């Protein structure tokens, strides 16, 4: 019996462990509902619901080839021991995983169990990650990433001989509920939806992608929306690269040099973001405690003892008094997704203007983002908070961002109906309305809509000063008369890339 352990790789195409196991012998395709992962503080009901749809899609694909997905509840070592006691197996097949601390510890326990039982655990790399390097260089990683992304996706096995478990072991899955509730506007999971989105994006949207990603007015329908499917491994980076390359060589593009040039430029722009994603994975491989510890240890103590719980709640609820921040949070509550610029703005507001230690905002956003990937998430939290080293700390002006990205207040009014009648001149700074204007539009600040929690300009200046002082004290940077390059930025961020 060959056990193929599915984790964040819920597909049959470009799945080398499955293909190789199927060529070796009868396959038990296994997915584990692990309490330690489901009950962890970064897992939510919306994650569980999306995964459920992806598992159903995976099972249908396996059944078409003669197998089926077996789902069991329990810790990995407990389940493997149960199976092994009934039917000793020699090999466990899976992909490597670069996940959170819980999955990292779980994998160490599984490795120890395999050694104890004499089981060979065959783990395959994915996402262009090089595991176990003692002196990683950028050249090593880039070469691996290039080789991975340019290679052909592994074909799915045509037929899979199934291996059966004793019915007493393959008991019904005990439902475990992640935190919170599913989101009514959440994207639906499954391979068919991933392929539909990829096809639509490459055929019609990609040329406009570089101009679409920043504004919430265009990003919702201009981005690929593939990030949740990448997060759960429903589709892979090299499948996307293959689709993009085929589009460049398609007859309609080959016959129009101007359009082909625009397409190639847009594809490179998108490919850069795929590379950033892979880079974050590689970074977390060498820093498995990234979700707990500051990237630069010299920044420890910067915010940890100054956590304002009341401000945190108001930020979570979208009640900061800054319409662009609050509208973004309301959209996130409903859909589980906001575009890259809004992600940078809401998390920067939390760690800078509100001066909250990044850990609790990070956990909250992890539960909210349906496309949550720890490697991207915690790197970005720390870059914005200024704890990642020299040049980090990103501060966004929420009023300026609104003026640039939503000039007529369309997005703000969509998600904050209480501000529907506020005149355009005040829509991003409603607290500046006189009592007469408030009465005229029917919005009383402090009652119908909250007053600002902080003076954002003053709070951002103080945050930059505190971070700069801490970085100087830690020896990360020199005290500047030479300026603070990288300390104040209203441009793009690599969070929420897709």
């Amino acid at each position: 019996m060959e056990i193929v352990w599915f984790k964040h790789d819920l597909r049959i195409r470009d799945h080398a462990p499955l293909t190789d196991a199927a060529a070796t012998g009868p396959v038990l395709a296994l997915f584990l509902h692990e309490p330690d992962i489901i009950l962890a503080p970064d897992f939510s009901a919306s994650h569980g619901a999306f995964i459920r749809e992806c598992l159903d899609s995976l099972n249908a694909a396996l059944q078409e080839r003669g197998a089926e997905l077996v789902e069991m509840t329990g810790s990995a070592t407990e389940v493997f021991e149960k199976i092994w006691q009934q039917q000793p197996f020699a090999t466990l097949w899976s992909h490597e995983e670069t996940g959170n601390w819980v999955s990292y510890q779980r994998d160490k326990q599984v490795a120890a169990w395999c050694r104890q039982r004499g089981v060979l655990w065959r783990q395959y790399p994915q996402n262009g990650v090089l595991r176990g390097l003692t002196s990683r260089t950028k050249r090593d990683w880039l070469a691996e990433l290039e080789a991975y992304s340019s290679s052909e996706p592994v074909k799915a096995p045509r037929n899979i001989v199934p291996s059966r478990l004793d019915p007493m072991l393959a008991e019904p899955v005990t439902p475990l509920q992640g935190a919170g509730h599913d989101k009514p506007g959440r994207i639906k999971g499954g391979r068919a939806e991933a392929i539909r989105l990829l096809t639509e994006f490459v055929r019609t949207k990609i040329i406009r992608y570089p101009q679409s990603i920043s504004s919430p007015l265009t990003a919702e329908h201009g981005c690929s929306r593939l990030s949740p499917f990448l997060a759960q491994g429903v589709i892979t980076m090299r499948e996307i690269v293959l689709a993009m390359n085929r589009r460049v060589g398609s007859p309609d593009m080959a016959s129009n040099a101007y359009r082909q040039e625009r397409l190639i430029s847009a594809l490179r722009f998108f490919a850069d973001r795929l590379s950033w994603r892979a880079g974050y994975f590689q970074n977390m491989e060498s820093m498995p405690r990234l979700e707990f510890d500051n990237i630069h240890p010299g920044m420890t103590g910067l915010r940890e003892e100054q956590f304002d719980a009341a401000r945190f709640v108001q930020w979570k609820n979208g009640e900061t008094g800054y319409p662009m921040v609050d509208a973004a949070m309301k959209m996130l509550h409903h859909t589980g997704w906001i575009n890259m610029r809004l992600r940078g703005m809401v998390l920067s507001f939390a760690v800078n203007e509100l001066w909250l230690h990044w850990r609790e905002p990070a956990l909250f956003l992890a539960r909210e983002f349906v496309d949550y990937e720890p490697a991207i998430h915690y790197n970005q939290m720390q870059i914005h908070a200024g704890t990642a080293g020299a040049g980090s700390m990103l501060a966004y002006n929420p009023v300026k961002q609104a003026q640039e990205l939503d000039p007529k207040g369309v997005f703000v009014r969509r998600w904050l109906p209480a501000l529907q009648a506020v005149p355009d001149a005040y829509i991003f700074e409603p607290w500046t309305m006189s009592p007469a204007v408030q009465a005229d539009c029917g919005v009383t600040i402090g009652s119908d809509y909250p007053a600002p929690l902080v003076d954002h300009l003053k709070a951002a200046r103080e945050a930059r000063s505190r971070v700069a002082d801490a970085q100087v004290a830690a020896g990360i940077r020199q005290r500047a008369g030479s300026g603070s390059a990288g300390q104040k930025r209203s441009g793009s961020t690599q969070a929420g890339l897709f």
Side-chain angles (χ1 to χ4, degrees):
M1 175 173 64
E2 310 298 327
I3 295 184
V4 178
W5 179 18
F6 288 90
K7 296 181 283 184
H8 292 283
D9 52 359
L10 305 182
R11 62 186 185 273
I12 64 169
R13 188 172 187 245
D14 205 15
H15 198 297
L18 175 64
T19 299
D20 289 352
T24 304
V27 168
L28 176 68
L30 180 65
F31 181 85
L32 302 180
H33 297 269
E34 301 170 77
D36 284 351
I37 287 178
I38 296 172
L39 301 178
D42 60 352
F43 193 90
S44 69
S46 57
H47 296 151
F50 184 84
I51 290 170
R52 177 70 267 158
E53 292 160 357
C54 295
L55 290 174
D56 291 342
S57 173
L58 172 61
N59 189 38
L62 289 167
Q63 288 178 340
E64 289 177 358
R65 287 156 177 80
E68 65 178 350
L69 185 66
V70 174
E71 300 180 43
M72 298 180 69
T73 298
S75 73
T77 52
E78 290 173 349
V79 171
F80 292 143
E81 179 66 18
K82 283 183 182 179
I83 296 172
W84 193 89
Q85 288 292 341
Q86 182 202 86
Q87 185 176 344
F89 56 93
T91 309
L92 174 64
W93 307 74
S94 78
H95 277 111
E96 295 173 349
E97 182 171 345
T98 308
N100 62 6
W101 182 252
V102 175
S103 68
Y104 175 73
Q105 293 296 314
R106 182 270 320 275
D107 283 355
K108 289 172 67 177
Q109 293 164 7
V110 170
W113 179 88
C114 287
R115 288 192 296 270
Q116 178 186 2
R117 289 302 188 191
V119 172
L120 173 64
W121 186 8
R122 297 196 57 182
Q123 296 188 77
Y124 290 64
Q126 60 176 346
N127 297 314
V129 170
L130 281 172
R131 173 165 286 185
L133 291 183
T134 56
S135 57
R136 182 176 72 86
T137 67
K138 187 174 183 180
R139 181 179 298 176
D140 293 332
W141 173 69
L142 287 174
E144 177 69 16
L145 180 63
E146 176 65 24
Y148 166 77
S149 61
S150 61
S151 60
E152 283 286 322
V154 177
K155 293 182 179 180
R158 292 184 178 181
N159 297 292
I160 303 172
V161 178
S163 180
R164 306 296 182 187
L165 276 183
D166 186 312
M168 293 295 290
L169 279 181
E171 57 194 21
V173 172
T174 303
L176 293 173
Q177 179 69 42
H181 305 281
D182 195 9
K183 300 183 180 302
R186 173 182 59 78
I187 197 168
K188 301 304 178 186
R191 175 77 177 184
E193 181 65 5
I195 296 301
R196 183 190 72 78
L197 288 170
L198 174 60
T199 302
E200 180 184 30
F201 181 65
V202 170
R203 285 182 179 174
T204 64
K205 294 183 178 181
I206 184 65
I207 287 182
R208 298 187 301 276
Y209 172 72
Q211 294 77 41
S212 299
I213 61 173
S214 294
S215 171
L217 301 176
T218 54
E220 184 176 5
H221 301 290
C223 290
S224 75
R225 303 302 302 272
L226 290 170
S227 53
F229 303 93
L230 281 165
Q232 298 303 330
V234 177
I235 197 167
T236 67
M237 175 180 176
R238 59 182 171 189
E239 287 185 286
I240 295 172
V241 171
L242 176 62
M244 293 193 302
N245 288 338
R246 286 176 174 171
R247 180 59 178 144
V248 171
S250 62
D252 62 318
M253 284 294 160
S255 63
N256 188 322
Y258 172 71
R259 289 192 70 215
Q260 189 177 55
E261 183 178 348
R262 283 187 63 203
L263 175 65
I264 291 172
S265 176
L267 291 177
R268 285 175 177 161
F269 188 83
F270 186 80
D272 282 345
R273 280 139 186 83
L274 289 174
S275 296
W276 291 346
R277 174 179 181 268
Y280 288 139
F281 274 88
Q282 188 65 60
N283 196 41
M284 197 160 192
E285 275 290 316
S286 62
M287 293 189 293
R289 284 190 56 84
L290 185 62
E291 64 188 278
F292 303 106
D293 301 337
N294 291 331
I295 292 175
H296 197 291
M299 302 304 287
T300 301
L302 180 63
R303 296 179 179 85
E304 284 87 330
E305 303 304 321
Q306 303 177 43
F307 192 85
D308 190 320
R311 284 185 174 185
F312 178 53
V313 170
Q314 288 174 283
W315 172 79
K316 286 196 304 183
N317 293 338
E319 297 171 350
T320 69
Y322 286 94
M324 198 64 168
V325 174
D326 295 342
M329 295 300 270
K330 298 297 185 184
M331 179 181 180
L332 182 59
H333 298 337
H334 183 78
T335 67
W337 183 89
I338 50 178
N339 67 304
M340 53 173 279
R341 186 71 67 86
L342 293 188
R343 294 186 190 211
M345 184 186 64
V346 298
L347 70 88
S348 172
F349 194 88
V351 299
N352 294 317
E353 280 87 339
L354 301 184
W355 201 245
L356 301 172
H357 179 50
W358 55 263
R359 170 68 177 167
E360 287 303 319
L363 289 175
F364 172 76
L365 291 174
R367 295 189 296 270
E368 290 292 298
F369 292 145
V370 176
D371 57 5
Y372 163 62
E373 289 189 291
I376 299 175
H377 190 70
Y378 292 106
N379 271 289
Q380 277 298 308
M381 290 301 304
Q382 297 213 39
I383 288 171
H384 283 77
T387 58
S392 69
M393 194 275 193
L394 301 180
Y396 294 72
N397 183 325
V399 175
K400 183 181 178 182
Q401 292 294 309
Q403 292 167 342
E404 291 179 354
L405 304 177
D406 185 30
K408 298 295 184 182
V410 173
F411 175 78
V412 162
R413 290 186 175 93
R414 175 186 175 189
W415 294 104
L416 300 176
L419 301 183
Q420 193 70 39
V422 171
D424 288 355
Y426 301 100
I427 189 62
F428 305 128
E429 298 175 284
W431 63 90
T432 63
M433 291 189 294
S434 68
V437 175
Q438 292 183 43
D440 188 56
C441 67
V443 177
T444 300
I445 299 302
S447 176
D448 300 308
Y449 184 72
L453 278 179
V454 293
D455 178 331
H456 71 96
L457 291 175
K458 179 182 177 182
R461 282 196 301 269
E462 291 177 352
R464 282 192 292 273
S465 178
R466 289 179 177 182
V467 170
D469 288 346
Q471 290 183 348
V472 169
I476 301 172
R477 54 178 285 180
Q478 295 180 344
R479 185 168 298 281
S482 57
S484 53
Q487 295 300 302
K488 181 177 181 181
R489 191 180 308 177
S490 62
S492 64
T493 169
Q494 297 167 12
L497 302 176
F498 314 113

